[in-house]
Amino acid sequence: MTSDRTAAMMVTKEPAGKSALVPTLTITPADALIDVPRQIRVEHVEPGQTVEITALTRRSGVLWQAQAAYTAGDDGVVDLTRDAPVSGDYK
């Protein structure tokens, strides 16, 4: 079976007057079978920023996609095991 996996992140709606940080996307484990849970975190963003995360995978020729937007916590982190999305969809 062949598969292509992609994860992307976009930080939007930067609060006015804030210094620009360099966001870091971490996915652990980076590569595993589809039924293995992953920890997905975005660090080094301003508290209150909106972060969009998109995941794509192709399975048996079919493209699966999920997208969700999150609001960074007071710690400047979005942790998908902790934070609920504010919007999103999947196809």
Side-chain angles (χ1 to χ4, degrees):
M1 171 194 302
T2 62
S3 66
D4 299 316
R5 291 177 292 278
T6 304
M9 159 192 66
M10 181 174 68
V11 179
T12 60
K13 299 180 185 171
E14 183 172 333
K18 298 290 184 174
S19 63
L21 298 173
V22 178
T24 304
L25 174 66
T26 306
I27 303 172
T28 308
D31 192 21
L33 296 174
I34 196 162
D35 61 345
V36 174
R38 288 164 175 79
Q39 181 180 25
I40 301 172
R41 290 175 56 96
V42 179
E43 299 176 288
H44 310 294
V45 296
E46 293 289 342
Q49 273 190 296
T50 300
V51 177
E52 290 185 12
I53 297 180
T54 301
L56 303 168
T57 187
R58 186 172 303 280
R59 302 288 173 171
S60 301
V62 177
L63 181 66
W64 294 82
Q65 176 179 327
Q67 179 277 325
Y70 299 83
T71 301
D74 292 339
D75 56 358
V77 172
V78 171
D79 183 339
L80 274 60
T81 62
R82 174 190 75 186
D83 302 320
V86 294
S87 67
D89 62 7
Y90 61 92
K91 300 176 190 174

